[in-house]
Amino acid sequence: METTKKNSAFGPKQIGMIIFTGVLMLLSSCFVGGQTNTVLPALSEVRGWDNNLLNVVSGLASLLDGIGIIIFARLARKNTKKMTGIALIIMAVCLVLFGMVQNLALFFVLMFIMGACSGCFSSTCSMVLTSNWWPTKKGVVLGFSTMGVILMQVVYAPVMPKAYAAIGIANTQIVLAVLTIIVAIISFTLVKDTPEEAGTTPDGMEGLELEETTKLIEELHNYKSPFTLGKLAKDPSSWTMALGTGLPLMVAMTYIASTIPALLSYGYEFPFASFVFAIGGIAALAGSFIFGVIDQKIGTKKATLIYIIIMFIAVFAAMNMSKSIACVWISAIVLMAANGSARNLIPSFVGTRYGRWDYPAAYSLIGTIAMLGGGLGIMVTGFFTSYTHMYIFDIVILVIALICCLATKDNFIGKRG
C-alpha cells in the first residue's frame, strides 16, 4: 500500500505555510489595526477629518475583525483557502476606494468592511490552517507566524507617511491593493487546506496510507463538532479563556494605538517617537518567538500567566515614560511584543483544549470574544484625556485577566486524532 512520505514538521511545505499565514497576519495588522499612528493622522490632516473620531471608528472596525470569527470560523473548515482568497480580493477593492473616497460616512463603511475581511482571512482562516497543519506544535509555529502582526511596525508604519508624500494617497493604496491581490492568487492556487492535501502529514508524523489520508481529508471537511455555540457558552472556561487572553490584547492595543501621541505629549520629539515605534517592533519579533517557545515547552496556560505578569511591569513603566527614557523602551518593547504574543496565545489556548477537529467550532466563540479586545483597546484610547488614567485602567484590566486565566481549565476535551 502506497503511503505518504515521512516529513518534518518544518519541511519546505510547512515553512511555506508559516510564511503565508504570517503574511495574512501582517496584512490584517497593517490595514485594520495599524492605521492609528500613521495613516489616519495623515488622512485627518489632508481631508480635515477629526482624528479622535477616526480612531474610535478604527476601533469599531477592529471589533468587526473579532466578530467576523463567529461568522466565518465554522465555514472555514471546508473552504479555508477559497474564503481567504475572496476576503483578500474584497480587501483589495476597499484599499483602492480607501484612498479615493472623500465622503466620511462612506469611508467609515469601508473601514467596517475591511475589519470583517480581516476577521475572515487573518483572525479565522490563518488560525484554522495552523490548527490543521500543526495540531500539537502550534505554539512554536504561531511564535513565528504571529511575527507578521509585529512586522506592521517595521514595514508599514514607517513607510506609509513617506509613500503618501512621494506618490500620493490614492497611488499608495493602489500599490497595497495589488500586493493584496497577489497574496489572494497564491491562496487560490498554491495553498492547501490540510497537510494531507499537500502530500504531507500533521506535525510531520510518520507516513500514512494514501487511502487512509484521503478518507481523513473527507472526514475533516465534513466533521460536525458537538461543541455548539450554546454548549460553549455554558462552559465557564470558554469565557475565562477568552477574557484571560483577550483583555491583555486590549491593554497592548491601548498602548500601541497611542504610542506616538503619548510620547509627543511628554515632550519627546517626533523622530524619537517614530524610532521607538519602529525599534520596539523589531525587538518584539523576538518576544513573539520566545513566547511561542515558552508555550510549547510549559503549556499555554502557564505561558499566558507569565505573559500577563510581564505586562504589569511594562504598564507601570509606561506610567513613568515622561520621567525616564528607560521606561519608554521597557514599555515599548514589552507591550508591542504583547500584541503578537496575544495573537499567538489565543488560538493556541483554544487548540490545547479542543484540538484539530473541534478547533473551528470552539474558536468561533472564544476567538471572537478574545479578538474583540484588540478593537476595544484601539477604541478606548479615544475616550481618555489623560494617558496616566488610561494606564491605571490597563492595570485593572490586567488584574481581571490574571484572575480569568487562573480560573481556566486547559485539559483536552476535543476529538482526538
Side-chain angles (χ1 to χ4, degrees):
M1 181 69 68
E2 188 179 2
T3 64
T4 57
K5 295 180 180 179
K6 172 67 172 66
N7 287 275
S8 166
F10 301 103
K13 294 177 182 178
Q14 286 85 350
I15 291 174
M17 285 301 300
I18 292 173
I19 294 172
F20 179 74
T21 54
V23 168
L24 295 181
M25 294 182 203
L26 171 62
L27 296 182
S28 169
S29 183
C30 291
F31 302 152
V32 179
Q35 309 279 22
T36 53
N37 277 288
T38 55
V39 177
L40 295 185
L43 292 174
S44 173
E45 182 177 350
V46 171
R47 297 176 183 173
W49 295 338
D50 180 76
N51 192 55
N52 285 334
L53 177 61
L54 293 180
N55 284 345
V56 170
V57 175
S58 178
L60 291 172
S62 294
L63 291 180
L64 281 181
D65 186 323
I67 294 171
I69 297 171
I70 203 168
I71 300 171
F72 299 117
R74 292 172 186 265
L75 298 175
R77 168 61 77 196
K78 287 188 177 182
N79 302 296
T80 314
K81 57 180 285 183
K82 292 180 181 178
M83 286 180 59
T84 299
I86 291 170
L88 287 167
I89 289 174
I90 296 172
M91 176 68 83
V93 173
C94 290
L95 287 170
V96 174
L97 296 175
F98 194 82
M100 299 167 56
V101 168
Q102 301 292 324
N103 181 278
L104 185 58
L106 183 55
F107 184 77
F108 288 162
V109 171
L110 288 174
M111 292 178 74
F112 293 147
I113 296 174
M114 291 165 70
C117 288
S118 172
C120 180
F121 70 74
S122 177
S123 298
T124 302
C125 291
S126 68
M127 300 305 175
V128 172
L129 288 170
T130 301
S131 179
N132 283 343
W133 280 70
W134 297 275
T136 64
K137 293 182 172 66
K138 60 197 176 305
V140 68
V141 170
L142 287 166
F144 282 112
S145 60
T146 53
M147 288 180 181
V149 176
I150 300 168
L151 279 172
M152 176 274 295
Q153 298 157 223
V154 181
V155 302
Y156 186 75
V159 172
M160 286 303 290
K162 296 177 181 178
Y164 278 3
I167 63 175
I169 293 174
N171 289 333
T172 300
Q173 295 299 126
I174 290 173
V175 171
L176 295 174
V178 170
L179 294 174
T180 304
I181 289 175
I182 291 173
V183 180
I185 293 171
I186 292 172
S187 182
F188 284 127
T189 59
L190 299 180
V191 172
K192 303 297 183 183
D193 288 343
T194 67
E196 291 89 350
E197 290 172 280
T200 182
T201 56
D203 290 324
M205 296 185 302
E206 293 291 342
L208 301 173
E209 292 185 356
L210 291 180
E211 183 178 345
E212 180 184 354
T213 298
T214 302
K215 181 180 179 182
L216 181 62
I217 294 170
E218 183 178 354
E219 289 180 357
L220 189 63
H221 283 318
N222 296 323
Y223 177 69
K224 292 184 179 180
S225 174
F227 293 99
T228 62
L229 288 176
K231 185 174 182 178
L232 289 163
K234 293 176 183 178
D235 182 359
S237 282
S238 294
W239 297 94
T240 56
M241 182 185 295
L243 294 174
T245 51
L247 291 178
L249 175 60
M250 177 180 176
V251 170
M253 291 310 299
T254 63
Y255 177 85
I256 293 171
S258 61
T259 303
I260 293 177
L263 291 176
L264 294 178
S265 75
Y266 294 143
Y268 295 103
E269 298 293 330
F270 182 80
F272 174 76
S274 299
F275 183 66
V276 168
F277 196 79
I279 298 300
I282 295 173
L285 293 174
S288 181
F289 169 71
I290 289 169
F291 265 98
V293 173
I294 293 173
D295 178 356
Q296 194 68 41
K297 294 292 185 182
I298 67 173
T300 312
K301 180 174 179 177
K302 292 179 181 177
T304 305
L305 290 170
I306 294 171
Y307 160 76
I308 294 172
I309 291 169
I310 292 175
M311 286 189 70
F312 273 111
I313 298 171
V315 174
F316 279 118
M319 296 175 70
N320 291 283
M321 289 193 300
S322 62
K323 304 173 184 177
S324 168
I325 291 181
C327 287
V328 171
W329 288 111
I330 292 170
S331 59
I333 291 172
V334 175
L335 290 172
M336 289 183 184
N339 182 22
S341 299
R343 295 169 196 273
N344 177 340
L345 294 170
I346 292 167
S348 185
F349 221 149
V350 176
T352 295
R353 187 159 168 81
Y354 294 93
R356 181 189 192 194
W357 292 80
D358 296 296
Y359 175 88
Y363 194 67
S364 64
L365 176 68
I366 298 170
T368 295
I369 299 168
M371 289 301 294
L372 289 178
L376 287 171
I378 297 172
M379 189 170 63
V380 299
T381 59
F383 298 108
F384 284 99
T385 57
S386 164
Y387 291 113
T388 299
H389 292 164
M390 185 179 76
Y391 297 138
I392 293 172
F393 169 79
D394 287 341
I395 292 293
V396 174
I397 294 298
L398 287 175
V399 170
I400 297 172
L402 185 63
I403 294 171
C404 287
C405 188
L406 288 169
T408 301
K409 295 179 181 179
D410 61 348
N411 58 302
F412 185 82
I413 59 173
K415 172 181 168 65
R416 295 189 181 275

